[in-house]
Amino acid sequence: MKYKYFLFDFDGTLVDSMPVFVSVMLGILDENNIKYEDDIVKIITPLGLMGTAKYMINLGLSMTLDELVGEMGRKMFDHYANTIPAKNNVCEVLRKLKENGAHLNVLTASPHITLDPCLKRIGIYDLFDNVWSCDDFKTTKADPEIYKMAAEKIGREVSDILFLDDNYNADKTAKSAGMKVCGVYDESSKDSIDEIKYVTDHFIYDFSELLEI
């Protein structure tokens, strides 16, 4: 196994949640007749709820930050707590990596209120040494410093860690921070595959391929 230290995204990487995320975020904009660009999903995915809320308010949404974040959380919580599944082969591969001595960590834009219950329900929460939301670092995955801070908490050089994410912007930023990066296929980012492959060290379509890297 080439890598021993892993940092995983959550939405679209470990769990098949992007349809819910996209539906909730775009639904709020549509309900309020707010126009947005075609690449909005690529933009907001690394930002977390707070960052996404600020972005949407800048588009013209007439809600306070607290109101909008609360609305997002309410609309998403039930899905994360009860129905969103792990992506194909994720649980099996994570257990295999752990058995082989790997150190597993999560860094996601999702808040703990949806992140933790989902990981616990699908039975993989305890496999991770650290489960971090961007909220824990007071910044987003669009900031190169978050990857350096995560590496410091893991206790390794940033270049020792393999970061996995389905989002182009997050992959590009992690790479600029000095991490090794593996792009992950997700239906929501299928139009960005070539871009993701260009900025990453590896790319997987299925988690089972991670064991071959």
Side-chain angles (χ1 to χ4, degrees), residues 28 37 39 53 55 77 87 101 108 140 160 169 191 203 210:
I28 291 173
E37 299 297 327
D39 64 349
Y55 183 84
F77 178 78
K87 292 183 74 174
T108 175
T140 75
D160 291 338
N169 288 331
D191 293 337
F203 187 89
L210 184 55

Side-chain angles (χ1 to χ4, degrees), residues 80-123:
Y80 281 90
N82 298 299
T83 63
I84 288 173
K87 292 183 74 174
N88 192 44
N89 289 317
V90 161
C91 297
E92 297 85 351
V93 169
L94 290 177
R95 292 190 182 102
K96 185 67 173 178
L97 289 172
K98 195 71 174 180
E99 289 171 7
N100 290 339
H103 295 261
L104 311 179
N105 306 274
V106 173
L107 176 63
T108 175
S110 286
H112 285 288
I113 192 173
T114 53
L115 167 64
D116 296 358
C118 187
L119 289 177
K120 290 175 181 178
R121 175 176 52 79
I122 60 181

